[in-house]
Amino acid sequence: MNKSVRLLASASVLAASAIAAAPAFAAGTTAGTSIQNTVTLDYKVGGVDQSQLTTSDTFTVDRKVTFTVSEVGTSSTTVSPGQVTAVTTFLVSNASNASLDVALAVSQPSGGTAAHGGTDNFNVTGPKTYVDTNTNGTYDAGTDVEITYLDQLAADDSKTVFVVVSVPLGRATGDVAGVRLTGTASEAATSGTLGSTIAQSTGANTSEMDTVFADTNASGNTARDGIHFAEDDYTVLAASITATKTSRVVSDPVNGTTDPKMIPGAVVEYCITVANAAGSAIASGITISDLLPGETTYDAAFGIKLNGTVTGGTCNPDGASGGSYASGTVSGSLADLPGGATRTLVFRVSVN
């Protein structure tokens, strides 16, 4: 091997070593890396080797800023009216060749088609963002930490972010609330402090580390602005409860059970019917309290029948004994009521 080849090989090794010293990311060589290349020139004069010449070029790798905010899952989050911890999940992924701070903001569209269909017609309350501290993909109250930005999100790294909200009472089945999580690229200068918003370099390339925005316009975003968002929504599944109270005369002291009338001494059966519309959420914790009129006397022998049935609009006294009577008030609890189901509370009184 001659001298020229040996020196060129050494220079190539040095250059390769300089490049290999920088971390290898799918996003490319780390921003700010100095890449040097040295060329060696050998020549002769009159057949005599002359002094070797070398020359080098060094440039700085510029910063390519691109990250995405994406919804985790492909369907709306089903919620109940009054639910205080309703969660949607997003993934923030940094495809830049540098670490970023990512400022986070939650907003709510006003009307229009929601992310998963339907029309946005209400707002959730108290939206907060949490990072998936234990990386299990599930929101864990008391474990996952509330944040307003992702601190120093490394190149090729991703973090799961939860948007946690409350749902107002009074919402009906099919109501939809959309939410948008927006991330803004920020400098990752100091750990524990949100850096300033990154600005894209303008003009010709400089010898310093310039910045190029490379985010796209996918999913309604604006290309090359250092900002990215994704949307999700909450769809309400409520119970649709109706309660009906009816009475019928069972007997009277004159006619017995044949065409009885509501005269003093008559036995009257009260029925409270609770129905949940088909397709509704299960209603639970159903309790009934009925203060009796002073002109009636509670029939303790008949008692209270719970979770009975209805036939042809008339209550059947076929429920299980239960409930209580105290201070002139009949009380009882019904079993969980699925959509499309009906349950009853039946008791009797006599007319004073």
Side-chain angles (χ1 to χ4, degrees):
M1 180 180 291
N2 63 35
K3 178 180 178 183
S4 175
V5 173
R6 287 198 302 271
L7 290 170
L8 285 171
S10 298
S12 298
V13 170
L14 288 171
S17 298
I19 295 173
F25 297 122
T29 304
T30 302
T33 300
S34 292
I35 295 182
Q36 183 182 57
N37 181 269
T38 301
V39 62
T40 303
L41 175 66
D42 291 289
Y43 68 101
K44 296 175 185 283
V45 175
V48 179
D49 287 333
Q50 304 297 302
S51 298
Q52 190 178 66
L53 299 177
T54 61
T55 185
S56 299
D57 176 75
T58 302
F59 64 85
T60 300
V61 176
D62 291 327
R63 180 170 57 175
K64 175 185 174 183
V65 174
T66 177
F67 71 98
T68 57
V69 179
S70 56
E71 174 199 3
V72 175
T74 58
S75 61
S76 180
T77 299
T78 301
V79 294
S80 303
Q83 186 173 335
V84 296
T85 304
V87 182
T88 53
T89 306
F90 296 87
L91 186 69
V92 181
S93 302
N94 183 13
S96 310
N97 64 338
S99 294
L100 301 176
D101 283 358
V102 181
L104 301 172
V106 178
S107 59
Q108 301 188 60
S110 179
T113 301
H116 299 289
T119 300
D120 176 276
N121 65 345
F122 79 99
N123 284 346
V124 290
T125 60
K128 296 179 180 179
T129 49
Y130 292 81
V131 65
D132 186 10
T133 305
N134 58 7
T135 65
N136 67 351
T138 301
Y139 173 67
D140 297 306
T143 298
D144 295 326
V145 176
E146 183 180 354
I147 58 170
T148 57
Y149 69 97
L150 290 172
D151 191 22
Q152 299 193 339
L153 183 63
D156 290 329
D157 196 8
S158 299
K159 295 290 185 183
T160 299
V161 174
F162 305 110
V163 174
V164 182
V165 305
S166 295
V167 181
L169 284 168
R171 304 312 311 186
T173 296
D175 285 353
V176 178
V179 291
R180 172 183 289 186
L181 180 64
T182 300
T184 301
S186 304
E187 300 286 355
T190 304
S191 178
T193 302
L194 175 63
S196 59
T197 300
I198 294 175
Q200 183 172 221
S201 301
T202 59
N205 186 59
T206 70
S207 60
E208 305 300 324
M209 183 185 74
D210 294 327
T211 296
V212 177
F213 287 155
D215 47 298
T216 72
N217 62 354
S219 303
N221 282 271
T222 300
R224 302 192 61 186
D225 64 353
I227 299 171
H228 204 269
F229 68 82
E231 295 180 337
D232 202 347
D233 48 49
Y234 300 91
T235 299
V236 175
L237 179 59
S240 181
I241 297 294
T242 56
T244 306
K245 185 176 182 179
T246 58
S247 62
R248 69 182 185 92
V249 59
V250 176
S251 64
D252 72 45
V254 176
N255 299 298
T257 58
T258 303
D259 298 327
K261 305 295 187 290
M262 297 282 196
I263 61 176
V267 175
V268 178
E269 184 175 274
Y270 280 116
C271 178
I272 300 168
T273 303
V274 181
N276 192 7
S280 298
I282 296 174
S284 59
I286 303 169
T287 60
I288 297 171
S289 180
D290 190 350
L291 179 61
L292 300 188
E295 298 82 5
T296 63
T297 299
Y298 172 68
D299 186 345
F302 181 83
I304 301 168
K305 310 297 184 185
L306 300 173
N307 299 306
T309 60
V310 177
T311 302
T314 300
C315 294
N316 302 310
D318 56 0
S321 296
S324 63
Y325 174 75
S327 303
T329 300
V330 170
S331 302
S333 299
L334 300 183
D336 290 355
L337 191 61
T342 300
R343 305 199 193 286
T344 64
L345 182 152
V346 177
F347 65 96
R348 290 178 178 178
V349 299
S350 59
V351 178
N352 295 340

